[in-house]
């Protein structure tokens, strides 16, 4: 069964450093998303991406965040200058061509900012 | 008011029990509704979509009441493997299917 993959599974970084989280969505999907979950809290939407551009972003997704689809398979989330409060689990998700269809989540990247 | 509200639990039930979870949502324009399941430190996994007519998948039954903005999940004959956090999820009213999650209800099934 096709699945969303994410790398790395864990990342530890120093405050102020840049991190890039990588995702490979399911191959025939066209809508891509990033969510995050701070430990003990709910899953929160960050950004959606369609047709090579951001379609919606949350208040969390400020100028320190960016997304990119550099080739036909990868979808990346970059945090330019990490803060302590960026420590969270980051989930990538994708869905098929129709915007209302189910989103499938990757296993997540656990980011720890020290 | 929170966008999606759930009782956090935990619900501690014996194997074989029937357990029901409820959820309310604030945006009457929400279009799609789901129950996801999340195991500790894992990704959310779709359990089932929820339709106005109600739907059943084996031991799981989901109901949606649009007028009351209320969603429910019933689990019959609980198994140990059902122990997890159950997330009530709705989509925003926009066109790009942003998922809005509840904080989840924790279920612990014991022998």
């Amino acid at each position: 069964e096709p699945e969303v993959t994410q790398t790395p599974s864990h990342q530890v970084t120093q405050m102020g450093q840049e991190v890039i989280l990588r995702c490979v969505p399911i191959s025939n999907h066209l809508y891509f998303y990033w969510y995050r979950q701070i430990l003990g809290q709910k899953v929160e939407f960050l950004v959606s991406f369609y047709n090579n551009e951001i379609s919606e972003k949350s208040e969390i997704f400020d100028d320190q965040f960016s997304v990119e689809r550099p080739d036909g398979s990868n979808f990346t989330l970059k945090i330019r200058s990490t803060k302590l409060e960026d420590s969270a689990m980051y989930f990538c998700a994708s869905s098929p061509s129709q915007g209302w269809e189910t989103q499938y989540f990757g296993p997540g990247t656990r980011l720890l900012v020290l | 008011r929170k966008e999606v509200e759930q009782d956090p639990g935990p619900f501690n039930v014996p194997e074989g029990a029937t357990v029901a979870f409820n959820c309310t949502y604030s945006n009457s324009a929400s279009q799609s509704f789901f129950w996801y399941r999340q195991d500790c430190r894992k990704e959310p996994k779709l359990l089932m979509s929820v339709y106005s007519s109600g739907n059943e998948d084996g031991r799981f039954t989901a109901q949606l009441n649009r007028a009351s903005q209320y969603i429910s999940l019933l689990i019959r004959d609980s198994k140990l493997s059902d122990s997890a956090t159950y997330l009530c999820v709705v989509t925003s009213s926009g066109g790009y299917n942003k998922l809005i999650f509840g904080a989840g209800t924790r279920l612990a099934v014991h022998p």
Side-chain angles (χ1 to χ4, degrees), chain B residues 2 4 10 12-13 15-16 25 31 35 37 39 42 44 47 49 61 69 84-85 93 101 104 106:
Chain B
K2 291 180 185 174
V4 180
N12 294 299
V13 302
E15 274 186 290
Y25 61 95
Q31 299 281 346
W35 284 101
R37 169 197 168 125
D39 294 291
K42 300 284 190 181
L47 182 65
S49 300
T61 301
Q69 295 176 210
T85 297
S93 54
F101 285 79
R106 200 152 53 89

Side-chain angles (χ1 to χ4, degrees), chain A residues 20-74:
Chain A
I20 297 176
L21 310 183
R22 292 183 168 79
C23 168
V24 179
I26 294 172
S27 64
N28 63 343
H29 286 188
L30 299 178
Y31 291 76
F32 313 114
Y33 310 84
W34 284 101
Y35 293 83
R36 79 169 187 191
Q37 186 175 31
I38 295 170
L39 189 63
Q41 297 186 23
K42 66 179 183 178
V43 177
E44 300 174 289
F45 169 79
L46 292 178
V47 66
S48 58
F49 191 85
Y50 169 69
N51 200 26
N52 284 320
E53 60 184 24
I54 290 173
S55 46
E56 188 174 0
K57 58 184 181 180
S58 71
E59 290 176 356
I60 302 167
F61 195 90
D62 61 22
D63 292 344
Q64 294 301 310
F65 291 86
S66 62
V67 289
E68 196 177 33
R69 189 154 161 83
D71 52 43
S73 59
N74 290 287

Side-chain angles (χ1 to χ4, degrees), chain B residues 15-91:
Chain B
E15 274 186 290
T18 295
V19 61
F21 303 138
N22 303 317
C23 163
T24 57
Y25 61 95
S26 61
N27 186 351
S28 59
S30 294
Q31 299 281 346
S32 302
F33 308 89
F34 308 93
W35 284 101
Y36 277 74
R37 169 197 168 125
Q38 186 174 32
D39 294 291
C40 189
R41 296 177 178 263
K42 300 284 190 181
E43 75 273 25
K45 290 189 176 175
L46 180 69
L47 182 65
M48 57 198 305
S49 300
V50 189
Y51 307 113
S52 297
S53 54
N55 49 302
E56 188 174 307
D57 182 2
R59 298 181 293 109
F60 299 86
T61 301
Q63 294 277 354
L64 167 66
N65 184 322
R66 282 188 183 268
S68 303
Q69 295 176 210
Y70 173 93
I71 306 164
S72 66
L73 176 69
L74 184 76
I75 305 176
R76 290 181 299 278
D77 189 24
S78 300
K79 312 289 185 196
L80 294 176
S81 56
D82 293 335
S83 297
T85 297
Y86 289 82
L87 308 176
C88 179
V89 184
V90 308
T91 56

